Amino acid sequence: MPILHVRNVPDELYEQIRRQAQEQNRSISAQVVYLLERAVLESPQAQRQLLENIRRRRSSLPVEPGLPDSLR
């Protein structure tokens, strides 16, 4: 398995990752791999699909008279 070294990680970012790893009972290395996997899997295409699903659901919801309509 390849090894990835990352340099110059800002202290604040490192602490956030360390805290997340601790909360999830993971090593820092395992947490970084998890975060990288999520970032790669949440590709722009996946994000576009999510937005399209939201738009489709919005357009199918009936608007009740007198309530604000976020689409207008």
Side-chain angles (χ1 to χ4, degrees):
M1 187 173 289
I3 296 173
L4 177 66
H5 294 276
V6 180
R7 297 181 187 180
N8 301 320
V9 176
D11 292 338
E12 185 177 318
L13 177 59
Y14 180 83
E15 282 304 312
Q16 288 176 333
I17 293 170
R18 186 192 63 74
R19 279 192 299 272
Q20 287 178 359
Q22 186 176 24
E23 290 168 2
Q24 299 298 318
N25 295 319
R26 294 185 182 121
S27 67
I28 292 173
S29 181
Q31 184 66 19
V32 169
V33 170
Y34 169 78
L35 293 170
L36 286 170
E37 285 175 340
R38 279 190 38 207
V40 169
L41 292 175
E42 293 177 7
S43 67
Q45 177 145 355
Q47 292 173 7
R48 280 193 295 274
Q49 183 63 42
L50 175 64
L51 289 174
E52 181 56 38
N53 289 342
I54 290 170
R55 287 185 188 106
R56 190 174 3 133
R57 280 186 274 154
R58 271 188 181 169
S59 65
S60 67
L61 293 175
V63 178
E64 293 183 35
L67 293 178
D69 184 356
S70 64
L71 299 176
R72 294 183 193 152

